[in-house]
Every structure is written in C-alpha cells, then in structure tokens.
Amino acid sequence: MATLGLLSPEFPSSTLEANLNAMAAAGATGVQLDLVNAVGDTFPENLTDTQIAAIKDGFAANRLVLSALSGTYNMIDPDPVKRAKGAQALDRLIALAPKLGTRVVTLCTGSRDPDDMWRRHEASDSPEAWQDLLVTTRQAVRTAEDHGIFLGVETEVGNSINTVRKARRLLDEVGSPSLKIIMDGANIFQKGELPRMREKLDEAFELLGADIVLAHAKDLDRDGEAGHVPAGLGRLDYPYYLKKMQESGYQGSIILHALKPEQAVDRLAFVSNAAPPGYLKSR
C-alpha cells in the first residue's frame, strides 16, 4: 500500500520539532525533507552525530518516515562555476542520506535561466544543455551508486526534462538503476495537451511507471504550465491519476505540496478519498 506525505518547507517553523509536529498533526505518514528545516541549509557541509540523531529521533517521535531528501540545484546552470559547486553540494547530500535513514534524493534537471532554476528558457532544450545535464547527472549517479541511494528526476515543464519522453531518454542514456522517476501528474502537460489528459497520463505511466521512486500530488489550473495549486483544486483527473499509480505497482510515499499548512488536512483527505479502494494506507 502507498502512503501520503508532505513537503517540509511548506510548514515553516522555528525548529525541526515544530515542523515535524505540524506535518504529523495534519495526518502525514511520510516527509520529503529539505535540511534547511533541520539545520538551516539544504546542503550542509557536514552533520554531526548529534544532529543526525536529533533528526532521526524527531521522525521516530512523530511516527514519520523520511521519504526523501530534497537535493535540488540547477543541474544545467549557465554558469559552470555555480553548476560545479551545486554538483559538489549534491554529492555531500547523497553521502548523508543513508545516515539519516532514507534511500531517495530528489533532483532538479534545471534551466538555462540564470536566476530561476524552475523558469522556462529556450536554451534549456539545446544540445549543449543536454550534454551538461548528462555530465551532472552521471556525476551524481556515481556518488549515489557508491552509497546505495536512488536519485529522483521529475518531469517539469519549466526544466530541461520537460516531457516524459525526455525523462525516458535521460534514464536510458545514463543507464543506471540508481536513477529513477518522481511522478507528478500535474507536471507532464505541454501547451494544448490538457484535453488529452488521460492519454497523456497513460503515456507517462507506460514510459516511466516501472521506474517511480517517489510520487507528488498537486494540481494545475491552466494549460502549458506546471502545477502550482493544491491537489483537487485544479484540473487534474485525480481518480485516474491514482488508479494509474496503483496499476504501476508503486507502494511508496505520495508527497502533497503546493499547499498552505491550513490546507493540509483537507487535501490529504481529498487524495485519500480519490484513491482506489485499498491503495492508500492511513496513518
């Protein structure tokens, strides 16, 4: 059975304890954790044994699973110095992941936009950007293989990997079992494709369903953009999305995001009610 979770930065708190308490109280089972909520930095230089123990104890006390660590930096940053610095920081985070008790680190395949790694830029589709992405992905994969970690790539219309076919191509060209997919049904639709929603969801799961290591649940309210509204408040066919998720055999965490803390209880209930009977495990 799959479980439902939340994204830690969407529950801003002065301490990790308060952050985890809030997500547990909302009904989450899993958490995609950005270490900024634990130690003030997504990519810390190091974590002491005391810090690691505090994080693990906080999860245990709240009966939460650390579903994934957020490791997003701009993997095709137009500035090669920034790109190299980001790659080094990601390597550090991957090495920390097993110490914290997770096997999943999330990626951002990036944008050629110099200011926003999520913003669409025409140069993101260039052959040069693709080669840069292969270099940074292969470096991360080597580190992931050394530490027994899975890396999650997400299709995102503002990023280099902006279609499910490009995601499939990246997995095939890198050719490592450590590189997997974050499935997000609200992020796969190019402009003009919403009228063919079920067809596009079928394609996404046909190409990527066997490689899902983490799933996201949010919604989209307009054509040609990534989802940025809470699950159930947009146009995604949630019963069909979750049906495809079940058919794919995915049994991990489905992380809700793009929501405010006060929306979490209601949106978790929506996703639970939209899922096929018996697919989701309650907290």
Side-chain angles (χ1 to χ4, degrees):
M1 298 174 74
T3 57
L4 297 181
L6 294 165
L7 185 66
S8 69
E10 297 188 342
F11 291 78
S13 307
S14 57
T15 65
L16 177 64
E17 180 183 15
N19 179 267
L20 297 177
N21 286 348
M23 289 184 285
T29 297
V31 173
Q32 180 178 328
L33 176 67
D34 189 319
L35 282 174
V36 72
N37 297 113
V39 295
D41 191 345
T42 300
F43 299 102
E45 290 290 337
N46 190 25
L47 291 181
T48 66
D49 290 343
T50 299
Q51 288 173 313
I52 290 171
I55 294 169
K56 295 177 76 171
D57 288 348
F59 273 81
N62 286 282
R63 295 170 47 231
L64 290 168
V65 173
L66 178 51
S67 305
L69 282 179
S70 293
T72 54
Y73 83 96
N74 192 345
M75 297 180 78
I76 61 165
D77 195 303
D79 184 335
V81 174
K82 290 182 179 178
R83 199 164 63 238
K85 184 177 179 181
Q88 292 169 0
L90 178 61
D91 281 346
R92 292 198 306 271
L93 188 73
I94 293 168
L96 288 170
K99 298 178 183 180
L100 292 168
T102 185
R103 297 189 67 200
V104 181
V105 173
T106 67
L107 306 180
C108 171
T109 59
S111 169
R112 282 301 208 216
D113 188 288
D115 302 314
D116 187 347
M117 63 181 170
W118 305 105
R119 185 183 297 155
R120 189 80 202 116
H121 192 286
E122 61 181 13
S124 298
D125 290 325
S126 67
E128 294 78 14
W130 185 262
Q131 288 306 310
D132 285 342
L133 179 61
L134 287 177
V135 170
T136 53
T137 302
R138 285 169 174 156
Q139 176 177 334
V141 161
R142 286 192 294 271
T143 306
E145 289 173 344
D146 288 342
H147 293 279
I149 295 301
F150 294 113
L151 303 177
V153 171
E154 183 175 358
T155 301
E156 220 277 5
V157 297
N159 281 170
S160 172
I161 299 300
N162 57 353
T163 69
V164 296
R165 291 189 178 277
K166 287 180 77 173
R168 183 70 259 165
R169 177 187 171 193
L170 182 66
L171 265 60
D172 291 343
E173 289 194 19
V174 172
S176 169
S178 293
L179 189 62
K180 297 293 185 180
I181 289 295
I182 303 169
M183 180 61 74
D184 189 330
N187 279 5
I188 65 172
F189 301 99
Q190 297 292 305
K191 191 171 181 61
E193 292 182 345
L194 277 182
R196 296 186 291 134
M197 180 173 291
R198 291 196 172 190
E199 176 187 339
K200 299 307 294 185
L201 285 169
D202 287 345
E203 178 186 46
F205 281 92
E206 179 181 354
L207 291 174
L208 305 173
D211 291 293
I212 301 171
V213 75
L214 189 71
H216 283 172
K218 60 179 187 298
D219 220 322
L220 74 167
D221 61 357
R222 65 190 70 185
D223 202 20
E225 292 188 10
H228 59 274
V229 296
L233 300 183
R235 300 174 63 182
L236 186 63
D237 185 341
Y238 254 91
Y240 195 73
Y241 174 49
L242 294 170
K243 174 176 176 288
K244 298 299 295 186
M245 195 76 71
Q246 181 188 46
E247 290 174 351
S248 76
Y250 179 68
Q251 300 290 316
S253 291
I254 301 174
I255 303 294
L256 279 71
H257 68 113
L259 49 73
K260 297 177 181 178
E262 60 268 24
Q263 295 174 305
V265 172
D266 184 57
R267 294 302 92 199
L268 286 165
F270 164 78
V271 175
S272 182
N273 291 332
Y279 179 50
L280 294 178
K281 182 180 179 180
S282 59
R283 178 172 168 79

